Amino acid sequence: MLRTKTAMEKIEADVDRDIQNTLHTIDTEEIFKTIIPAMTTINGSLEALTKDGKYDGARWAGFPKEPPLVLHRDVSAGNVLIFQGKDGPPYGRLMDYDHAKKAENYDLSGTRNLSPSQLETERGIVRISVEHALKRKVDNDVLDVALKWFDDTIDASGYIRTAAQFTGLVGENAPQKPICATDLGWGPVNKTYKWPDFAKRDAGPGERTGTLPHMAGDVINAQSLHSPGRCAEDRPFVHEAIHDVESLLWVLVRFCLTRKGPGINMRREDELDKQSPSYNRELRDTVVALFEGSDEVLKKKKSSLHGDWESFEGEVVAHFHPYFEPLKPYVRRWWTTLILGYKYRAEEFYNIHDHIIRILDEAIKEIGKTLTEDDEATKAEINRRKIHVWLLSDVRNR
């Protein structure tokens, strides 16, 4: 005769299961108690691609302290891990490197050198164009950084103007002091970028280069949407680091569209269910077009957003649940930083991790100042987590 488990044995069985799953994937419904852990997790996943070679919770043998030599190529909600430490907030890591690429060589980028006289001449040309368009003064370091990337002064001028507009440095409410390179997040003028050459390395087993719903626009279309000529027959499409960073953005966007708050059972089922009185057709169409549609539907939507980058606001951000309202400015900046990187392939392209980490650090700091834990859903989730931690500690201490 089978013995029925006691209540305590059932609890211990549940705790044992939780101990084995201390690392949660980001797509489990129980992970977020507020926005901050969500942003910290995404931030940690980016940092895991940049610091000391810490991939998938382990250190790659002989990994140098240089820009990342590994592309993940399959960033998705299910591959972002949340480690809930005993003290402090959770942090993120990436798992599943089956489709990763590891490079062995670096290419130097941003190395154009000008003689003093040539630099002075080109500075003058670019300054007139930029300051007239922006109605603001710019420091020499802004001009010099742009000119080290572009030998055409028209391209250099366009790059500065677009970067200033995307960064919010122009307009009625913008400060009127001269724009400097640090305002744009640009590195020192003499900085060169040692960029891993991924084109010469094969990926791991399998043909997939991502999880469809979270693929970057370029990747799902297997071409550069902003520079189609880069994918000529003699120059096949290459998955770059910026594509992994875009995939992380889609992971975050999916949560902002499909969830309505912290804790379990917080999906927007009432708005996504056609049979519900609260059915939101525009929201449902957006979720399907971005994440749940066929390959062709997903390709078309990503191509459309990249082709008209400003439509991201009305077609994506506008449908975020009000709970995620504080994230909107940072999601916008993440998107425009990606577009700037794709369009010009300069500072933002070769330094994309640092640009986005800076945005996330600011989001965590600023949102943390005003975010409260007074709503009932947050209180319930915090209480559930306290009980969870207590049970884990009790079992471990036996």
Side-chain angles (χ1 to χ4, degrees):
M1 183 175 179
L2 294 176
R3 184 176 65 88
T4 303
K5 287 185 177 180
T6 66
M8 190 60 202
E9 286 175 331
K10 290 180 179 179
I11 292 175
E12 289 176 344
D14 289 339
V15 170
D16 287 339
R17 184 191 65 244
D18 286 335
I19 291 174
Q20 295 170 12
N21 293 281
T22 302
L23 287 174
H24 298 282
T25 58
I26 198 169
D27 60 355
T28 56
E29 287 195 350
E30 305 175 6
I31 56 172
F32 299 149
K33 68 179 182 183
T34 64
I35 292 175
I36 296 301
M39 301 305 291
T40 304
T41 297
I42 298 289
N43 203 10
S45 299
L46 273 171
E47 291 177 340
L49 289 174
T50 61
K51 293 184 178 179
D52 298 333
K54 293 180 180 177
Y55 291 89
D56 198 13
R59 182 179 297 276
W60 286 65
F63 189 94
K65 292 188 177 181
E66 297 285 0
L69 278 170
V70 175
L71 284 177
H72 189 280
R73 301 204 325 150
D74 191 13
V75 174
S76 66
N79 285 338
V80 176
L81 293 177
I82 302 173
F83 184 79
Q84 179 63 60
K86 185 176 180 180
D87 299 309
Y91 56 88
R93 286 293 183 265
L94 287 169
M95 62 174 269
D96 188 0
Y97 283 80
D98 289 346
H99 303 285
K101 294 180 73 173
K102 187 169 187 288
E104 294 179 348
N105 302 311
Y106 292 104
D107 291 329
L108 292 179
S109 300
T111 58
R112 183 176 183 241
N113 293 312
L114 303 175
S115 66
S117 60
Q118 185 182 7
L119 177 60
E120 194 62 33
T121 299
E122 294 192 11
R123 269 182 187 168
I125 296 171
V126 175
R127 185 187 300 279
I128 292 173
S129 172
V130 169
E131 293 186 347
H132 174 75
L134 299 182
K135 304 295 190 279
R136 282 191 65 180
K137 298 292 185 182
V138 293
D139 284 346
N140 281 343
D141 60 355
V142 172
L143 305 172
D144 294 352
V145 169
L147 287 168
K148 82 175 183 179
W149 290 103
F150 301 99
D151 54 12
D152 187 318
T153 55
I154 294 177
D155 290 339
S157 299
Y159 179 42
I160 296 171
R161 294 198 305 270
T162 306
Q165 291 166 354
F166 281 9
T167 315
L169 296 176
V170 294
E172 295 181 0
N173 298 322
Q176 291 305 304
K177 69 179 183 65
I179 299 173
C180 65
T182 54
D183 291 333
L184 300 171
W186 292 354
V189 175
N190 59 358
K191 181 178 180 179
T192 58
Y193 293 93
K194 296 178 68 176
W195 194 243
D197 182 2
F198 293 108
K200 297 182 176 65
R201 296 294 298 173
D202 293 330
E207 299 178 354
R208 186 180 58 168
T209 56
T211 301
L212 279 171
H214 303 106
M215 278 186 183
D218 283 3
V219 175
I220 197 171
N221 286 278
Q223 65 172 319
S224 175
L225 297 175
H226 296 268
S227 304
R230 292 186 177 276
C231 300
E233 291 184 5
D234 60 335
R235 298 182 64 184
F237 173 75
V238 176
H239 190 128
E240 301 277 7
I242 194 171
H243 298 128
D244 281 354
V245 176
E246 183 183 335
S247 290
L248 272 174
L249 173 62
W250 293 123
V251 169
L252 179 59
V253 164
R254 190 172 192 175
F255 277 96
C256 293
L257 290 173
T258 61
R259 296 179 64 84
K260 57 184 177 182
I264 61 176
N265 301 320
M266 294 301 287
R267 288 181 58 81
R268 299 170 75 176
E269 300 291 359
D270 52 338
E271 296 178 78
L272 295 171
D273 183 358
K274 292 181 179 180
Q275 307 303 319
S276 169
S278 304
Y279 177 57
N280 184 332
R281 181 172 181 176
E282 289 187 358
L283 173 63
R284 179 61 184 165
D285 288 348
T286 299
V287 171
V288 170
L290 283 172
F291 304 110
E292 298 178 5
S294 66
D295 293 10
E296 290 306 313
V297 168
L298 300 183
K299 286 181 181 180
K300 183 178 179 180
K301 186 63 173 181
K302 294 283 177 67
S303 296
S304 172
L305 290 171
H306 278 273
D308 179 12
W309 63 267
E310 291 179 300
S311 66
F312 182 80
E313 177 67 28
E315 296 184 20
V316 180
V317 177
H319 298 295
F320 283 13
H321 188 273
Y323 178 78
F324 295 102
E325 186 71 26
L327 285 182
K328 286 184 175 181
Y330 305 101
V331 170
R332 292 184 189 108
R333 285 173 55 190
W334 190 334
W335 175 249
T336 54
T337 300
L338 289 170
I339 298 300
L340 200 59
Y342 285 127
K343 186 176 177 64
Y344 290 99
R345 293 179 72 90
E347 291 288 316
E348 293 76 15
F349 181 87
Y350 289 99
N351 202 26
I352 187 63
H353 297 87
D354 286 348
H355 276 274
I356 304 305
I357 287 172
R358 183 171 61 252
I359 292 171
L360 294 176
D361 282 341
E362 183 180 332
I364 291 169
K365 178 181 178 182
E366 294 302 317
I367 294 174
K369 292 178 180 178
T370 58
L371 192 68
T372 66
E373 298 179 345
D374 292 336
D375 63 276
E376 293 303 317
T378 299
K379 288 180 179 178
E381 176 64 8
I382 292 174
N383 187 57
R384 186 192 67 81
R385 282 179 170 264
K386 288 179 178 178
I387 294 173
H388 172 83
V389 171
W390 177 83
L391 288 170
L392 287 177
S393 299
D394 183 61
V395 170
R396 287 168 178 162
N397 291 333
R398 290 182 182 182

